[in-house]
Amino acid sequence: MHRMHISFLLAAGMATFALWGCGSDPSSVEEIPVPGDDDSSSSSISSSSKPSSSSTKRSSSSQKTSSSSAISSSSTESIKLTDKDFIDIGGQLWTKRNLNINVEGSRCYKDKPANCEEYGRLYTWSMAMNIDTAYDQKEHGKITEPHQGICPDGTHLPSHKEWQELYEYILLNPEVKTYFATQTGGIYDYDDGYKNMNYETVYWSSTEYDATGTGYPFHYAWLWAFRANLSIDFDNSHKTSAVNVRCVKNDTKIDLSTPFVIESSSSSGEFQPDAETIQIGEQVWMTKNLNIPVEGSFCYNEQEAYCEEYGRLYTWSQAMGVDRKFDTEKLGPIDTPYQGICPDGMRLPTDSDWKTLYNTLVNAPEYKDYFMNQMGGVFDYTGKFRSVDEECSFWTSTEYDATGTGFDFEYAWLWAFHKDKALVTDNSHKITGAYIRCIKAE
């Protein structure tokens, strides 16, 4: 199987790469395929690497931050949090949104205030801790936990241990991930500037990292990254990097035995098994088009409102979660079932899966309605948006061999539902922008 892995690069010149920085435990980190290209598939904030630059993102996140969020102010004293500002995760209460307190020296992505409203502000470690900036380059030493930092009264900056406890809970309740990936506002890298908007959001912990012997003994602290494709990483990073902050309510702790309850008013827009699937014959399909803002995906007519209404448009490589070069090259045999960018527990359907659905619909045509509820059109290979409210085309994970045509492996199979309830299939250029319906993994 061709998979790209989310990783923090090791020291320049080494032949291998890994997810973890100095002293991290690789057994505790989840690996998930990354959408997008090589330039942006690795976070650039590792303590032991020179970061790589991110490629330009085409689209903005479908999750918007309200400008009236309670977690937005010029001082912690003026912030009054209410129950609606928190999400209960196994008994521990986390703020739902990234902090947007205008601390001196903090940043908005690309220095645009609108990005602070949408994604929250970016802070160096000393800013997040609310201590002298000198501690971005020297040891602060032992702190009393919980440490409030710039978090509102009654909350605190989570320690590395608290993030680890959250991660253990997420392993048992993966739907929690969506609450930490709703504002993928990127980072300000200590050496490479702004990057990775719509790809990741990274959070500080209150815990320093001792890199004694490297020449930079206490220039690092622990942080955690949540990606738009719902993967999670952690590493130690230069304290002068600027990332986001989420806060935890004081005197609350996670109980791993407490199941997570999805809020009925959740705006995560991600997979919720009971609410968003339908069994059709022997198959279980999602009832909505995928709307995960992976790098390079886009909305019909480049208008965010269409993503909310119809889902996002993806090229074949984006749907598969592989390097974009495979939009014009042969990927080759894959292990099936193949997840692609579908949520955990779901997968990208094969051409055979769609044929099975077609045969079922012959005898149960009423189920076509579940695939005609978001007729979002298509972005064809010539670069034109067309057919909104007339059709909806869906990718398969199956390539088409056009050897001898001059376009050997530039095609893959897709299926289209039309307004007149016709269901057709054809091979299409992989650079076409089409939708995704995921099917439950066996």
Side-chain angles (χ1 to χ4, degrees):
M1 177 188 296
H2 293 260
R3 283 177 172 244
M4 300 172 61
H5 290 83
I6 297 173
S7 60
F8 290 79
L9 299 179
L10 288 174
M14 295 187 68
T16 58
F17 64 92
L19 175 64
W20 9 93
C22 304
S24 300
D25 177 10
S27 65
S28 66
V29 181
E30 181 178 20
E31 290 186 339
I32 297 180
V34 178
D37 56 26
D38 290 335
D39 287 340
S40 62
S41 65
S42 60
S43 177
S44 61
I45 47 182
S46 170
S47 64
S48 53
S49 69
K50 178 176 176 61
S52 59
S53 61
S54 172
S55 60
T56 303
K57 275 59 174 178
R58 176 173 186 171
S59 59
S60 60
S61 170
S62 62
Q63 301 297 332
K64 299 293 184 181
T65 305
S66 170
S67 61
S68 60
S69 170
I71 313 174
S72 176
S73 179
S74 60
S75 67
T76 57
E77 289 79 8
S78 63
I79 294 178
K80 303 297 181 183
L81 299 181
T82 64
D83 289 346
K84 68 181 178 65
D85 295 308
F86 293 96
I87 180 69
D88 187 332
I89 300 177
Q92 191 172 57
L93 299 179
W94 288 75
T95 52
K96 292 180 180 178
R97 313 297 293 177
N98 298 345
L99 207 62
N100 186 17
I101 296 173
N102 191 8
V103 173
E104 181 180 358
S106 61
R107 300 171 178 269
C108 300
Y109 192 89
K110 291 287 179 74
D111 303 316
K112 296 179 179 180
N115 286 330
C116 278
E117 292 297 327
E118 183 169 354
Y119 301 111
R121 298 188 75 86
L122 299 169
Y123 307 91
T124 67
W125 187 74
S126 65
M127 294 173 195
M129 292 287 286
N130 198 19
I131 56 179
D132 194 287
T133 56
Y135 293 112
D136 276 337
Q137 295 186 324
K138 68 178 184 180
E139 180 181 9
H140 180 262
K142 186 176 179 63
I143 61 172
T144 301
E145 297 285 4
H147 181 86
Q148 181 174 351
I150 59 171
C151 287
D153 289 345
T155 67
H156 63 273
L157 191 66
S159 66
H160 183 52
K161 181 181 178 181
E162 285 177 305
W163 281 109
Q164 289 174 317
E165 291 170 347
L166 173 69
Y167 180 76
E168 290 179 17
Y169 189 84
I170 287 175
L171 291 178
L172 300 173
N173 303 273
E175 59 270 31
V176 172
K177 297 177 195 176
T178 62
Y179 291 92
F180 293 86
T182 54
Q183 295 169 278
T184 49
I187 63 173
Y188 182 82
D189 182 83
Y190 75 99
D191 191 44
D192 204 28
Y194 295 106
K195 62 189 303 178
N196 292 353
M197 175 178 276
N198 299 322
Y199 171 65
E200 68 179 341
T201 181
V202 181
Y203 300 109
W204 280 122
S205 78
S206 61
T207 308
E208 287 181 294
Y209 176 77
D210 184 355
T212 300
T214 66
Y216 305 93
F218 282 93
H219 286 211
Y220 310 105
W222 287 103
L223 43 67
W224 287 72
F226 287 73
R227 304 263 159 63
N229 71 338
L230 302 185
S231 64
I232 305 171
D233 291 345
F234 70 87
D235 205 347
N236 47 82
S237 173
H238 287 263
K239 294 176 181 176
T240 53
S241 294
V243 302
N244 293 115
V245 169
R246 285 285 178 99
C247 303
V248 178
K249 194 168 186 178
N250 296 342
D251 302 320
T252 60
K253 294 183 178 181
I254 287 180
D255 180 354
L256 295 179
S257 65
T258 303
F260 181 68
V261 177
I262 298 174
E263 296 180 329
S264 59
S265 60
S266 169
S267 61
S268 66
E270 305 298 345
F271 174 56
Q272 299 177 10
D274 294 333
E276 298 186 4
T277 60
I278 181 71
Q279 181 159 347
I280 303 175
E282 298 298 318
Q283 299 173 318
V284 177
W285 290 83
M286 290 181 68
T287 60
K288 295 287 187 180
N289 298 344
L290 206 63
N291 187 18
I292 295 177
V294 303
E295 181 195 350
S297 62
F298 49 100
C299 306
Y300 191 91
N301 271 352
E302 303 285 7
Q303 296 180 26
E304 196 68 31
Y306 282 119
C307 275
E308 295 297 330
E309 185 171 356
Y310 300 117
R312 300 187 77 84
L313 291 162
Y314 306 89
T315 68
W316 188 76
S317 66
Q318 290 161 5
M320 293 288 286
V322 296
D323 194 290
R324 63 186 179 187
K325 70 180 183 180
F326 294 113
D327 275 338
T328 54
E329 296 180 13
K330 180 180 179 179
L331 176 62
I334 59 172
D335 294 331
T336 54
Y338 187 90
Q339 183 174 352
I341 62 169
C342 288
D344 290 345
M346 307 296 286
R347 62 181 176 81
L348 196 63
T350 63
D351 186 51
S352 179
D353 289 323
W354 283 102
K355 289 176 181 176
T356 297
L357 175 68
Y358 176 83
N359 291 331
T360 302
L361 295 178
V362 169
N363 297 314
E366 65 274 15
Y367 285 106
K368 286 186 181 179
D369 291 343
Y370 288 97
F371 297 86
M372 298 176 60
N373 55 352
Q374 293 172 288
M375 304 291 278
V378 70
F379 181 77
D380 68 32
Y381 73 98
T382 67
K384 297 178 180 178
F385 293 98
R386 60 174 176 81
S387 302
V388 70
D389 295 324
E390 297 293 329
E391 70 172 274
C392 190
S393 296
F394 300 104
W395 280 122
T396 76
S397 60
T398 308
E399 287 182 292
Y400 175 76
D401 185 353
T403 300
T405 66
F407 304 93
D408 295 353
F409 279 91
E410 295 185 21
Y411 304 99
W413 288 101
L414 51 68
W415 288 70
F417 286 76
H418 291 263
K419 187 177 181 180
D420 62 2
K421 297 199 174 182
L423 174 56
V424 300
T425 181
D426 201 352
N427 50 79
S428 176
H429 288 265
K430 294 177 181 175
I431 58 173
T432 297
Y435 294 95
I436 293 176
R437 280 294 174 97
C438 302
I439 189 172
K440 187 175 181 181
E442 290 80 5

